Amino acid sequence: MNRPMMHVVDPQTGESKPEDIRRVFESQGPTALVWRTSTLAERIDRLKRLRDGMLARQQDFYAAFEKDYRKPAIEVNGTEFMPVLEEIRHTISSLKKWAQPKRVRPTIGTLFTSSWIEYQPRGRCLIIAPWNFPLNLCFGPLVSALAAGNTAILKPSEMTPAVSAVMAEVIATVFQPHEVALFEGSLPTSQALLELPFDHIFFTGSPAVGKVVMTAAAKHLTSVTLELGGKSPVIVDETANLRQAAEVMLWGKLTNCGQICVAPDHVYVHESVKDRFVEECRKVLAERYGSTPEAQRASPDLTRVINQRHTQRIGGLLQDALSKGAKALTGGEVDVASCYIAPTLLDQVPRDAAIMSEEIFGPVLPVLTFRQVDEVVHAINAMPKPLALYVFSQDMKRTRSILARTSSGGVAINQVVLHYAQGNLPFGGVNNSGIGNAHGEFGFKTFSHERGVLKGGMINAAKMLFYPPYTPAKKQMVTQFLKMLRLPLPF
């Protein structure tokens, strides 16, 4: 089938043209109405086409990720392809169950009626994806949107132009613009999109930009899902398996060069095991990336920071901490020109250092000590609610106490990051770290309107009780109902 050409980015500005954006948005309106009654088979066909189109360009994606920020192919497979392919597989196998109307029991006030919940597509959806996992965080939500029967416009980050270009080609090959379209560009393109009255916006990015998106959505009363970030803490108590904690935590911290919304941001280690924990971390770094600074810098397994601006930002946080008395236990090297920051463990980080209040989003890990776990709980609760909380402990009673007294989007115990891959769990933040959920059935519901339906029966209980005239007999019956419900009597 011959596909129409992709829209053209303005060569002078590098932005998508607002008239193209509006034209495609308007063309998706009739499609959204038709797709409202699309069958599950039709939706599954769209998912299979997306899967096949993505896999057909697998080698092109490897090259694009290498070009954008030297991401190893195995990390592309593990953090980009696998999550999307698993989302598609899980959705195809479960969509019939998710989409089936759900019967609900009547309440006392609705006796002799029947009720159910049915799932309708929201309509035209906007998906704005970040640069750290451009394929995963763009196509992953698209899977849920298509499964729910929606049209979509995608806006990937301008910071990964090579990957965005391949994604645009995949979308143009698989879908017509009035079904799914992708627009490239930076802030002006995002602004042009946010001016339109979408039925739902799914945004992944920083809390600061999330507030901008939510403000724009409010103008049209558009529903939003905000997948944001935050400073996800790690707790390592004195009962923890220190080798396991070091292996797992450094995997989560250094995959994608720490540019993960659920990456460990800082670690609280019990003072009695801190030195042994740091030594285990040193061993893990040497085993994975080399025992010398030169070997680590040359390692093909370390992804680079996305660009020089972000390298300068992380380097600035590191330098600020060091100037205020922090000590680099490992690493500390920064090369802005090559977007390289060595895997760095920081000790004695003062509380007023900027790195303790700003999300790091890089391969630098402050190591803090504690005596009593209450100190850590207090410190976590004093900060905005994080996207993830990690606890390494063999004491489940203590772990449950920590979970009960803190709030976070998700939790992993003796593990990090992996909860993102559990498609049967809701993935999302709370307050500053996000609004709404993604993945699996939760993603399907995010892109669906859960419509409640009630059907009257042969007996009309409301007529017996609440239709005028309000006779003494009706008042008596209502009074008896209120007594049954243990509610205050109005008369």
Side-chain angles (χ1 to χ4, degrees):
M1 179 187 297
N2 292 323
R3 292 288 178 186
M5 292 181 63
M6 294 179 292
H7 73 277
V8 179
V9 175
D10 189 321
Q12 293 184 332
T13 65
E15 303 297 330
S16 295
K17 297 179 180 180
E19 55 268 31
D20 287 347
I21 291 174
R22 181 167 289 278
R23 173 176 50 79
V24 170
F25 173 79
E26 290 176 351
S27 75
Q28 290 193 358
T31 305
L33 292 178
V34 173
W35 280 14
R36 186 175 290 173
T37 56
S38 58
T39 66
L40 298 186
E42 289 170 332
R43 299 181 190 184
I44 288 172
D45 178 67
R46 292 169 201 145
L47 295 178
K48 290 179 177 179
R49 285 158 47 200
L50 176 64
R51 177 197 63 196
D52 296 344
M54 187 175 74
L55 288 174
R57 303 299 297 274
Q58 195 165 356
Q59 294 302 319
D60 295 327
F61 274 117
Y62 291 153
F65 277 102
E66 172 67 24
K67 183 177 181 180
D68 278 338
Y69 55 120
R70 282 187 56 181
K71 189 165 184 173
I74 192 169
E75 281 195 16
V76 175
N77 282 334
T79 64
E80 303 281 358
F81 275 98
M82 285 182 63
V84 178
L85 293 175
E86 171 59 17
E87 193 74 47
I88 293 173
R89 185 205 63 78
H90 185 200
T91 300
I92 289 174
S93 64
S94 306
L95 186 55
K96 182 178 179 180
K97 177 183 176 182
W98 298 343
Q100 187 174 21
K102 306 295 191 299
R103 289 279 178 180
V104 296
R105 296 176 61 184
T107 60
I108 290 179
T110 59
L111 288 174
F112 312 115
T113 68
S114 58
S115 300
W116 63 90
I117 301 167
E118 60 184 27
Y119 299 94
Q120 280 195 317
R122 290 190 179 272
R124 290 176 288 188
C125 298
L126 172 62
I127 297 171
I128 303 177
W131 51 263
N132 57 324
F133 293 104
L135 177 62
N136 178 353
L137 298 179
C138 193
F139 282 11
L142 177 59
V143 172
S144 297
L146 293 173
N150 301 282
T151 65
I153 290 180
L154 313 177
K155 166 57 178 72
S157 172
E158 71 279 8
M159 294 188 195
T160 51
V163 176
S164 294
V166 181
M167 287 196 296
E169 292 166 3
V170 170
I171 294 299
T173 300
V174 173
F175 298 104
Q176 299 283 353
H178 65 266
E179 299 173 329
V180 180
L182 184 149
F183 287 97
E184 297 178 80
S186 57
L187 180 59
T189 298
S190 296
Q191 290 173 330
L193 287 164
L194 289 172
E195 289 176 359
L196 300 172
F198 283 93
D199 296 298
H200 189 73
I201 298 174
F202 190 105
F203 169 80
T204 305
S206 69
V209 181
K211 293 175 183 178
V212 174
V213 172
M214 195 169 185
T215 299
K219 295 177 182 178
H220 303 292
L221 295 180
T222 297
S223 58
V224 297
T225 301
L226 303 178
E227 297 288 359
L228 308 178
K231 295 180 68 62
S232 298
V234 183
I235 302 172
V236 179
D237 76 6
E238 70 276 19
T239 73
N241 181 323
L242 300 182
R243 175 65 185 187
Q244 177 195 44
E247 288 182 340
V248 170
M249 191 193 60
L250 288 177
W251 167 71
K253 182 62 178 176
L254 297 178
T255 296
N256 209 44
C257 200
Q259 299 166 122
I260 308 177
C261 59
V262 288
D265 184 90
H266 52 287
V267 55
Y268 296 95
V269 186
H270 193 274
E271 61 180 10
S272 66
V273 297
K274 181 239 185 171
D275 290 342
R276 284 190 288 147
F277 173 75
V278 169
E279 184 57 31
E280 292 294 346
C281 288
R282 292 181 191 274
K283 292 177 183 177
V284 171
L285 290 174
E287 292 166 4
R288 293 180 183 172
Y289 306 111
S291 57
T292 66
E294 296 75 20
Q296 291 181 5
R297 185 185 177 101
S299 172
D301 301 324
L302 270 174
T303 304
R304 292 298 185 258
V305 181
I306 186 63
N307 56 30
Q308 293 183 359
R309 179 169 65 86
H310 279 275
T311 308
Q312 289 177 322
R313 180 189 63 80
I314 300 167
L317 293 176
L318 176 57
Q319 185 56 47
D320 173 74
L322 293 173
S323 69
K324 292 179 178 176
K327 306 296 181 184
L329 299 173
T330 65
E333 181 185 356
V334 177
D335 186 342
V336 174
S338 62
C339 299
Y340 174 76
I341 296 181
T344 302
L345 299 179
L346 282 182
D347 193 15
Q348 301 176 35
V349 183
R351 295 290 179 176
D352 64 344
I355 203 168
M356 293 308 301
S357 59
E358 297 183 25
E359 186 176 5
I360 301 170
F361 225 63
V364 181
L365 182 71
V367 179
L368 314 171
T369 58
F370 70 93
R371 290 184 179 179
Q372 301 294 329
V373 75
D374 287 351
E375 305 168 32
V376 181
V377 170
H378 176 76
I380 292 172
N381 287 335
M383 296 288 288
K385 297 173 183 177
L387 186 55
L389 168 66
Y390 304 119
V391 181
F392 287 87
S393 175
Q394 302 302 313
D395 187 336
M396 280 307 301
K397 182 178 179 180
R398 176 186 292 165
T399 299
R400 292 190 187 99
S401 174
I402 293 171
L403 268 56
R405 293 186 290 154
T406 57
S407 178
S408 64
V411 172
I413 302 168
N414 296 327
Q415 187 55 265
V416 300
V417 177
L418 206 58
H419 64 294
Y420 176 88
Q422 170 49 288
N424 292 313
L425 287 176
F427 179 81
V430 55
N431 294 128
N432 194 70
S433 55
I435 297 173
N437 292 310
H439 299 173
E441 185 174 10
F442 305 96
F444 170 79
K445 288 183 176 181
T446 286
F447 284 97
S448 301
H449 167 58
E450 297 181 72
R451 182 161 71 169
V453 181
L454 180 142
K455 180 176 180 291
M458 296 295 293
I459 300 175
N460 190 341
K463 178 179 178 180
M464 296 167 57
L465 294 173
F466 299 114
Y467 286 19
Y470 298 128
T471 64
K474 288 183 179 179
K475 290 182 180 180
Q476 184 176 5
M477 283 191 291
V478 171
T479 299
Q480 292 303 316
F481 263 98
L482 292 177
K483 286 182 178 179
M484 290 171 57
L485 297 172
R486 298 182 182 273
L487 293 174
L489 300 181
F491 43 79

